[in-house]
Amino acid sequence: MSDTKPFLCIHGHFYQPPREDPFTGTYRREPEAAPYENWNERITAECYAPNAQAGNFRRISFNLGGTLARWMDIHAHETYEQLVSAVRYYYRRYSVVNGLAQAVHHTILPLARGRDKRCQVRWGIASFQHRFGFRPDGIWLPEMAVDYETLEAVAESGLWFVILSDEQVQGDLSQGAGPYKVRLSRNRFITIFVRNRSLSNAFSFNMPAAKDAREWINGTLRNSPPGSLTLLATDGETFGHHHKQGIEVLRALTTPTLHDSYEITTLGHYLRQHPPAVEVEVIENTAWSCSHNLGRWATGCPCTPECGYWKGALRRALDNLSRSIDEIYTDVVRSRDLAPWSLRDDYIAVLLGQVEGLDFLAEHHLGHLSTVAQQQILKLLEAQVYRQCMFTSCAFFFEDLERLEPRYAIANAIKAIALVCYASGDDLSRAFHRDLSIAVSLRTGRTGAQIMDELLQEAQLGESPLGGAMALARPGKSE
Ligand SMILES: [Zn+2]
């Protein structure tokens, strides 16, 4: 890599919200996605598959969300394999990984407890390594939501960098995308890359025609200092799904010729040649898609003015439930002289199918327990997975409680409740139901508790998960 020209990196965040039924694992038909069965299929045809065929994943930096990766692995396997081989190709060529991990359930990390931040990051790394065969250098923070505790969790997990948007950073940003250093506790540092918001938004909302794109970038970067980095980071679906010409635009931008004013790179590759020197500070509790201190996912904010107050009420219900689930889990695991949170971190190996549950317990010196005691711990660990899924950012992103996404959160909660009930006999459903009655949809006037009743009926669980715990506790999901 020579430093005679400025560099451009394009990062795509490829992601779909979870849409499968948590009780059956099946995907519903989505008529709005016609002529395709559902949105995942349609966006694959418009974006993931043609970008893979064009070789674009070999030249960009990207992350692939866990829900999408799982779906693609099963339903669009050829495209999935092309993404995996793109990362392998890049590594063979540059000895560096062009993919980033992602916090596994797309949780708004600053709103999560410390141990859940660490779990989301560690599971995200393990999942990336499992799928792509390499340890990632960086991680995508869902919605770019950041606080220092999240950055500590990333650094503790041995990763080098994250991406933030320029409005989330304070200090001298005259070096473009950086990289910059951010000071953490005990005099440690983490590296951040800073995306160019106006350039990224220009492509997201006003993408040029394919024939003009390279000229546009040439004009933008012509006066950038040689060796400097500009980062265009946006949703991957921008290229092909939101803008049809995106496939060709991405291909053109990532294959500059000698005549162009810039060279193309990826974050890990650039970082190896250009270690960070300038120190900056992060503005905590910010995100790239809400300028109201994470209000969009915590309480409701002017981003979704019609939402009322259900977001805070739903979050309180989920937080209360989590606390109860965790108390039961930690009591059981500590009674076996084990550390509950590192056991949970390690459990990703079971989710990824790398080890059977009973072998996992044996590895953690629990092989001597009775079958009943072993099943109890495995079911409580499985409940922890659904309890993580409840907090997917998508549940809180939109304006209405009666959308699919909040229902998904409540459905996962029911599944976690059923597993805990099966394992311990404790029925947490009544308290959760009571908490959910405070969350009201402004559009329909119905409460979260009514949604819960409906979901219980759909899953044929009768009036309480207690009655259906046996049925619901049947084998669950992977990561
Ligand atoms: Zn907002």
Side-chain angles (χ1 to χ4, degrees):
M1 197 189 299
S2 66
D3 274 3
T4 56
K5 293 181 181 181
F7 290 93
L8 172 70
C9 170
I10 300 180
H11 180 92
H13 165 54
F14 291 87
Y15 177 73
Q16 291 299 320
R19 298 198 181 96
E20 74 269 35
D21 178 337
F23 300 118
T24 63
T26 55
Y27 291 80
R28 293 160 208 256
R29 214 172 70 77
E30 293 167 314
E32 327 81 73
Y36 296 90
E37 270 290 295
N38 57 50
W39 281 110
N40 284 2
E41 281 190 15
R42 177 159 161 186
I43 299 169
T44 297
E46 293 173 350
C47 171
Y48 311 135
N51 271 307
Q53 280 151 19
N56 288 340
F57 289 100
R58 294 176 166 209
R59 298 183 292 268
I60 61 171
S61 164
F62 72 94
N63 69 287
L64 180 66
T67 44
L68 177 57
R70 190 166 65 240
W71 179 88
M72 204 185 269
D73 186 6
I74 299 166
H75 300 277
H77 191 70
E78 198 181 327
T79 301
Y80 176 81
E81 282 295 331
Q82 285 171 331
L83 263 69
V84 171
S85 65
V87 171
R88 298 203 169 136
Y89 166 88
Y90 197 87
Y91 191 87
R92 273 199 311 277
R93 189 151 178 203
Y94 300 108
S95 303
V96 61
V97 182
N98 66 330
L100 270 67
Q102 182 203 284
V104 75
H105 294 121
H106 212 267
T107 305
I108 299 295
L109 295 176
L111 298 179
R113 296 178 74 162
R115 62 199 186 206
D116 292 337
K117 289 175 169 131
R118 287 188 285 278
C119 180
Q120 282 290 310
V121 168
R122 284 174 195 178
W123 283 9
I125 296 169
S127 174
F128 182 91
Q129 211 159 358
H130 178 73
R131 294 187 182 283
F132 293 99
F134 301 99
R135 202 180 151 76
D137 292 339
I139 190 164
W140 178 265
L141 304 179
E143 303 286 356
M144 287 191 188
V146 70
D147 66 350
Y148 276 93
E149 194 179 46
T150 294
L151 295 177
E152 298 272 2
V154 172
E156 275 169 24
S157 300
L159 297 188
W160 295 355
F161 68 83
V162 301
I163 303 173
L164 294 176
S165 198
D166 50 23
E167 72 275 22
Q168 298 178 273
V169 182
Q170 209 163 261
D172 175 9
L173 294 183
S174 57
Q175 284 190 17
Y180 300 97
K181 293 196 289 187
V182 171
R183 188 183 295 269
L184 302 176
S185 64
R186 287 176 277 141
N187 261 335
R188 290 176 310 165
F189 289 92
I190 189 157
T191 297
I192 61 166
F193 285 97
V194 177
R195 76 163 188 152
N196 183 319
R197 178 176 38 162
S198 59
L199 182 67
S200 303
N201 285 348
F203 270 83
S204 304
F205 303 119
N206 192 21
M207 186 178 283
K211 64 179 174 42
D212 303 326
R214 199 185 279 171
E215 209 37 56
W216 188 3
I217 287 287
N218 272 323
T220 307
L221 299 184
R222 190 156 285 133
N223 297 321
S224 299
S228 66
L229 177 69
T230 297
L231 174 59
L232 193 170
T234 187
D235 286 333
E237 292 75 18
T238 301
F239 300 98
H241 172 55
H242 298 309
H243 301 283
K244 241 185 166 44
Q245 76 273 32
I247 313 291
E248 197 43 41
V249 165
L250 202 48
R251 197 196 59 75
L253 292 185
T254 55
T255 52
T257 66
L258 282 177
H259 304 294
D260 288 303
S261 67
Y262 67 96
E263 291 187 43
I264 199 82
T265 188
T266 62
L267 299 175
H269 194 201
Y270 187 84
L271 180 60
R272 276 169 170 69
Q273 324 265 342
H274 304 85
V278 176
E279 189 177 327
V280 296
E281 286 179 12
V282 162
I283 306 173
E284 288 195 291
N285 303 325
T286 52
W288 75 340
S289 47
C290 166
S291 57
H292 308 102
N293 290 71
L294 310 180
R296 181 151 197 169
W297 304 277
T299 53
C301 73
C303 293
T304 52
E306 301 297 310
C307 82
Y309 51 82
W310 66 266
K311 291 184 180 183
L314 176 61
R315 190 166 281 281
R316 172 178 170 273
L318 297 176
D319 281 340
N320 281 348
L321 176 62
S322 292
R323 205 157 45 239
S324 301
I325 291 175
D326 288 359
E327 274 168 18
I328 294 166
Y329 169 71
T330 51
D331 281 354
V332 168
V333 173
R334 286 201 176 114
S335 74
R336 307 293 178 188
D337 289 329
L338 279 179
W341 307 120
S342 64
L343 184 71
R344 184 179 69 173
D345 288 351
D346 293 349
Y347 183 71
I348 184 70
V350 178
L351 288 183
L352 293 170
Q354 294 167 340
V355 58
E356 290 292 326
L358 292 176
D359 295 332
F360 172 78
L361 293 183
E363 282 172 15
H364 289 78
H365 314 294
L366 295 168
H368 64 285
L369 297 181
S370 69
T371 308
V372 171
Q374 290 191 338
Q375 282 306 320
Q376 181 185 42
I377 295 176
L378 286 176
K379 289 297 173 198
L380 290 174
L381 280 164
E382 201 184 331
Q384 286 289 329
V385 181
Y386 293 96
R387 171 211 168 302
Q388 294 284 319
C389 291
M390 303 184 317
F391 289 102
T392 179
S393 69
C394 323
F396 302 90
F397 188 74
F398 300 101
E399 73 296 339
D400 189 30
L401 175 65
E402 286 236 33
R403 283 179 59 106
L404 201 59
E405 296 83 358
R407 287 175 80 89
Y408 176 86
I410 296 170
N412 275 283
I414 293 171
K415 181 109 188 189
I417 288 170
L419 286 160
V420 167
C421 185
Y422 179 87
S424 71
D426 292 305
D427 181 6
L428 304 176
S429 67
R430 287 175 217 294
F432 185 57
H433 193 269
R434 197 172 54 235
D435 282 348
L436 279 181
S437 64
I438 301 171
V440 183
S441 161
L442 272 196
R443 189 171 59 85
T444 65
R446 284 169 22 105
T447 69
Q450 286 170 293
I451 296 172
M452 179 177 172
D453 291 339
E454 210 171 83
L455 284 164
L456 285 168
Q457 259 176 12
E458 272 175 36
Q460 297 181 318
L461 295 180
E463 286 182 355
S464 148
L466 200 56
M470 298 294 277
L472 253 194
R474 60 182 170 246
K477 65 169 64 180
S478 63
E479 110 283 13

